[in-house]
Amino acid sequence: MPVRKQYRVAASGQWRDTEDGRRLPAGEVHAWEQGRNETVCGLSLGKSRLGRFAHVPWTDALPESGGAADRVRRVCPRCASAAGRRGTDARPRWHRENPRP
């Protein structure tokens, strides 16, 4: 079984949660792998001035998750396509029952 990559968040802005004081992403968010210096879509983190949020999983930054996405304005469509918009335990949307020979 293939190993799923653990994507984290890189964002153009940040804000602090008043309840627990955590830094959370704001503005435009991108998927990012720890140990890499670029986003999944190929933007350089330094040149694009994107902040790293290693403590925020990619699925929590999606607006439909409601997690850390309170101030997310835009999700990069290229990153969403590569990293997925569903959770890590989600199955593929379709499954071929009887493949042709």
Side-chain angles (χ1 to χ4, degrees), residues 1 7 12 16 18 21 24-25 28 32 41-42 47 52 55 64-65 71 73 75 78 80 83 89 92-94:
M1 191 165 183
Y7 294 109
S12 61
R16 289 216 179 258
T18 56
L24 295 173
E28 182 175 353
W32 164 67
C41 66
K47 289 180 181 178
R52 297 173 178 98
H55 60 283
E64 57 266 16
S65 74
R71 298 197 183 164
R73 298 288 177 235
V75 175
R78 291 172 29 185
D89 59 343
R93 292 184 183 170
W94 61 273

CSV table of all heavy atoms in Angstrom, one decimal, residues 1 7 12 16 18 21 24-25 28 32 41-42 47 52 55 64-65 71 73 75 78 80 83 89 92-94:
chain,number,residue,atom,x,y,z
A,1,MET,N,0.8,-1.2,0.0
A,1,MET,CA,0.0,0.0,0.0
A,1,MET,C,0.9,1.2,0.0
A,1,MET,O,1.8,1.4,0.8
A,1,MET,CB,-0.9,0.0,1.2
A,1,MET,CG,-2.0,1.0,1.2
A,1,MET,SD,-3.2,0.5,2.5
A,1,MET,CE,-4.3,1.8,2.2
A,7,TYR,N,0.8,16.5,4.0
A,7,TYR,CA,1.0,17.9,3.6
A,7,TYR,C,0.6,18.9,4.8
A,7,TYR,O,-0.3,18.6,5.5
A,7,TYR,CB,0.1,18.2,2.4
A,7,TYR,CG,0.5,17.5,1.2
A,7,TYR,CD1,-0.3,16.4,0.7
A,7,TYR,CD2,1.6,17.8,0.5
A,7,TYR,CE1,0.0,15.7,-0.4
A,7,TYR,CE2,2.0,17.1,-0.6
A,7,TYR,CZ,1.2,16.1,-1.1
A,7,TYR,OH,1.6,15.4,-2.2
A,12,SER,N,0.0,33.1,3.1
A,12,SER,CA,0.5,34.5,2.8
A,12,SER,C,0.3,35.4,4.1
A,12,SER,O,0.9,36.4,4.1
A,12,SER,CB,-0.3,35.1,1.7
A,12,SER,OG,-1.6,35.2,1.9
A,16,ARG,N,-3.6,35.1,15.2
A,16,ARG,CA,-3.5,34.4,16.5
A,16,ARG,C,-4.9,34.1,17.0
A,16,ARG,O,-5.7,35.0,17.1
A,16,ARG,CB,-2.7,35.1,17.5
A,16,ARG,CG,-1.2,35.1,17.2
A,16,ARG,CD,-0.4,35.0,18.5
A,16,ARG,NE,1.0,35.0,18.2
A,16,ARG,CZ,1.8,33.9,18.1
A,16,ARG,NH1,1.2,32.8,18.4
A,16,ARG,NH2,3.0,34.0,17.8
A,18,THR,N,-7.5,33.7,19.8
A,18,THR,CA,-7.6,34.4,21.1
A,18,THR,C,-7.7,33.3,22.2
A,18,THR,O,-7.4,33.6,23.4
A,18,THR,CB,-8.7,35.4,21.2
A,18,THR,OG1,-10.0,34.7,20.8
A,18,THR,CG2,-8.5,36.5,20.2
A,21,GLY,N,-4.0,31.0,21.6
A,21,GLY,CA,-2.8,31.7,21.2
A,21,GLY,C,-2.0,31.1,20.1
A,21,GLY,O,-0.9,31.5,19.8
A,24,LEU,N,-2.3,30.8,13.2
A,24,LEU,CA,-3.0,30.1,12.2
A,24,LEU,C,-2.9,30.8,10.9
A,24,LEU,O,-2.7,32.0,10.8
A,24,LEU,CB,-4.5,30.0,12.7
A,24,LEU,CG,-4.8,29.2,13.9
A,24,LEU,CD1,-6.2,29.4,14.4
A,24,LEU,CD2,-4.4,27.8,13.7
A,25,PRO,N,-3.1,30.1,9.8
A,25,PRO,CA,-2.9,30.7,8.5
A,25,PRO,C,-4.1,31.6,8.1
A,25,PRO,O,-5.2,31.4,8.5
A,25,PRO,CB,-2.9,29.5,7.5
A,25,PRO,CG,-3.6,28.4,8.3
A,25,PRO,CD,-3.4,28.6,9.7
A,28,GLU,N,-4.0,33.6,1.4
A,28,GLU,CA,-4.0,32.5,0.4
A,28,GLU,C,-3.1,31.4,1.0
A,28,GLU,O,-2.0,31.6,1.5
A,28,GLU,CB,-3.3,33.0,-0.8
A,28,GLU,CG,-3.2,32.0,-1.9
A,28,GLU,CD,-2.7,32.5,-3.2
A,28,GLU,OE1,-2.5,33.7,-3.3
A,28,GLU,OE2,-2.4,31.7,-4.1
A,32,TRP,N,2.2,22.2,1.5
A,32,TRP,CA,3.6,22.2,1.7
A,32,TRP,C,4.1,21.0,2.4
A,32,TRP,O,3.4,20.5,3.3
A,32,TRP,CB,4.0,23.5,2.5
A,32,TRP,CG,5.4,23.5,3.0
A,32,TRP,CD1,6.6,23.5,2.4
A,32,TRP,CD2,5.7,23.5,4.4
A,32,TRP,NE1,7.6,23.6,3.3
A,32,TRP,CE2,7.1,23.5,4.5
A,32,TRP,CE3,5.0,23.4,5.6
A,32,TRP,CZ2,7.8,23.5,5.8
A,32,TRP,CZ3,5.6,23.4,6.8
A,32,TRP,CH2,7.0,23.4,6.9
A,41,CYS,N,2.7,23.3,-5.5
A,41,CYS,CA,2.5,23.9,-6.8
A,41,CYS,C,3.8,24.5,-7.4
A,41,CYS,O,3.8,25.0,-8.5
A,41,CYS,CB,1.4,24.9,-6.8
A,41,CYS,SG,1.7,26.4,-5.9
A,42,GLY,N,4.9,24.5,-6.6
A,42,GLY,CA,6.2,25.0,-7.1
A,42,GLY,C,6.6,26.4,-6.7
A,42,GLY,O,7.6,26.8,-7.2
A,47,LYS,N,10.8,33.4,-1.7
A,47,LYS,CA,10.6,34.5,-2.6
A,47,LYS,C,9.1,34.9,-2.6
A,47,LYS,O,8.8,36.0,-2.9
A,47,LYS,CB,11.0,34.0,-4.0
A,47,LYS,CG,12.5,33.9,-4.2
A,47,LYS,CD,12.8,33.4,-5.6
A,47,LYS,CE,14.3,33.3,-5.8
A,47,LYS,NZ,14.6,32.7,-7.1
A,52,ARG,N,5.4,29.3,7.0
A,52,ARG,CA,5.2,27.9,7.2
A,52,ARG,C,4.3,27.6,8.5
A,52,ARG,O,4.6,28.3,9.5
A,52,ARG,CB,6.5,27.2,7.4
A,52,ARG,CG,7.4,27.3,6.2
A,52,ARG,CD,8.8,26.7,6.5
A,52,ARG,NE,9.7,26.7,5.4
A,52,ARG,CZ,10.6,27.6,5.2
A,52,ARG,NH1,10.7,28.6,6.0
A,52,ARG,NH2,11.4,27.6,4.1
A,55,HIS,N,2.4,23.0,12.1
A,55,HIS,CA,1.4,22.4,13.1
A,55,HIS,C,0.0,22.3,12.5
A,55,HIS,O,-0.9,21.7,13.2
A,55,HIS,CB,1.5,23.2,14.4
A,55,HIS,CG,1.1,24.6,14.2
A,55,HIS,ND1,1.9,25.5,13.7
A,55,HIS,CD2,-0.1,25.2,14.4
A,55,HIS,CE1,1.3,26.7,13.6
A,55,HIS,NE2,0.1,26.6,14.1
A,64,GLU,N,-14.0,24.2,3.9
A,64,GLU,CA,-15.1,23.3,4.3
A,64,GLU,C,-14.9,22.5,5.5
A,64,GLU,O,-15.8,21.9,6.1
A,64,GLU,CB,-15.5,22.4,3.1
A,64,GLU,CG,-14.3,21.5,2.6
A,64,GLU,CD,-13.6,22.2,1.4
A,64,GLU,OE1,-13.8,23.4,1.2
A,64,GLU,OE2,-12.9,21.5,0.8
A,65,SER,N,-13.6,22.5,6.0
A,65,SER,CA,-13.3,21.7,7.2
A,65,SER,C,-13.7,22.5,8.5
A,65,SER,O,-14.0,21.8,9.5
A,65,SER,CB,-11.8,21.4,7.3
A,65,SER,OG,-11.0,22.6,7.6
A,71,ARG,N,-9.9,32.4,8.6
A,71,ARG,CA,-9.5,33.6,7.8
A,71,ARG,C,-8.8,33.3,6.5
A,71,ARG,O,-8.1,34.1,6.0
A,71,ARG,CB,-8.6,34.5,8.7
A,71,ARG,CG,-9.3,34.9,9.9
A,71,ARG,CD,-8.6,36.1,10.6
A,71,ARG,NE,-9.4,36.4,11.8
A,71,ARG,CZ,-8.9,37.2,12.8
A,71,ARG,NH1,-7.7,37.7,12.7
A,71,ARG,NH2,-9.6,37.4,13.8
A,73,ARG,N,-8.7,33.1,2.8
A,73,ARG,CA,-9.5,33.7,1.7
A,73,ARG,C,-9.5,33.0,0.4
A,73,ARG,O,-10.4,33.0,-0.4
A,73,ARG,CB,-8.9,35.1,1.4
A,73,ARG,CG,-9.0,36.1,2.6
A,73,ARG,CD,-10.4,36.5,2.8
A,73,ARG,NE,-10.5,37.3,4.0
A,73,ARG,CZ,-11.3,37.1,5.0
A,73,ARG,NH1,-12.1,36.0,5.0
A,73,ARG,NH2,-11.3,37.9,6.1
A,75,VAL,N,-7.8,29.2,-1.5
A,75,VAL,CA,-7.0,28.0,-1.5
A,75,VAL,C,-6.4,27.8,-2.9
A,75,VAL,O,-7.1,27.9,-3.9
A,75,VAL,CB,-7.9,26.8,-1.2
A,75,VAL,CG1,-7.1,25.5,-1.3
A,75,VAL,CG2,-8.5,26.9,0.2
A,78,ARG,N,-4.1,24.6,-7.7
A,78,ARG,CA,-3.1,23.6,-8.1
A,78,ARG,C,-2.7,22.8,-6.9
A,78,ARG,O,-2.5,21.6,-7.0
A,78,ARG,CB,-1.9,24.3,-8.7
A,78,ARG,CG,-2.2,24.9,-10.1
A,78,ARG,CD,-1.2,25.8,-10.7
A,78,ARG,NE,0.2,25.5,-10.4
A,78,ARG,CZ,1.2,26.2,-10.8
A,78,ARG,NH1,1.0,27.3,-11.5
A,78,ARG,NH2,2.4,25.9,-10.4
A,80,ALA,N,-4.6,22.3,-4.2
A,80,ALA,CA,-5.7,21.5,-3.9
A,80,ALA,C,-5.9,20.3,-4.8
A,80,ALA,O,-6.3,19.2,-4.4
A,80,ALA,CB,-7.0,22.3,-3.9
A,83,ALA,N,-2.8,17.9,-3.7
A,83,ALA,CA,-2.8,17.4,-2.3
A,83,ALA,C,-4.2,16.8,-1.9
A,83,ALA,O,-4.3,16.0,-1.0
A,83,ALA,CB,-2.5,18.5,-1.3
A,89,ASP,N,-8.2,9.6,5.2
A,89,ASP,CA,-8.9,8.3,5.3
A,89,ASP,C,-10.0,8.1,4.2
A,89,ASP,O,-10.7,7.1,4.1
A,89,ASP,CB,-9.5,8.1,6.6
A,89,ASP,CG,-10.5,9.1,7.0
A,89,ASP,OD1,-10.5,10.2,6.3
A,89,ASP,OD2,-11.3,8.9,7.9
A,92,PRO,N,-11.2,6.6,-2.8
A,92,PRO,CA,-11.4,7.3,-4.1
A,92,PRO,C,-12.8,7.4,-4.5
A,92,PRO,O,-13.7,6.7,-4.0
A,92,PRO,CB,-10.7,6.3,-5.1
A,92,PRO,CG,-9.8,5.5,-4.3
A,92,PRO,CD,-10.4,5.4,-2.9
A,93,ARG,N,-13.2,8.4,-5.3
A,93,ARG,CA,-14.6,8.7,-5.6
A,93,ARG,C,-15.2,7.6,-6.4
A,93,ARG,O,-16.4,7.4,-6.4
A,93,ARG,CB,-14.7,10.0,-6.3
A,93,ARG,CG,-14.3,11.2,-5.5
A,93,ARG,CD,-14.5,12.4,-6.2
A,93,ARG,NE,-14.1,13.5,-5.3
A,93,ARG,CZ,-13.9,14.7,-5.6
A,93,ARG,NH1,-14.2,15.1,-6.8
A,93,ARG,NH2,-13.5,15.6,-4.8
A,94,TRP,N,-14.4,6.9,-7.2
A,94,TRP,CA,-15.0,5.8,-8.0
A,94,TRP,C,-14.1,4.6,-7.9
A,94,TRP,O,-12.9,4.7,-7.6
A,94,TRP,CB,-15.2,6.2,-9.4
A,94,TRP,CG,-13.9,6.6,-10.1
A,94,TRP,CD1,-13.3,7.8,-10.1
A,94,TRP,CD2,-13.1,5.8,-10.9
A,94,TRP,NE1,-12.2,7.8,-10.8
A,94,TRP,CE2,-12.0,6.5,-11.3
A,94,TRP,CE3,-13.1,4.4,-11.3
A,94,TRP,CZ2,-11.0,6.0,-12.1
A,94,TRP,CZ3,-12.1,3.9,-12.0
A,94,TRP,CH2,-11.0,4.7,-12.5
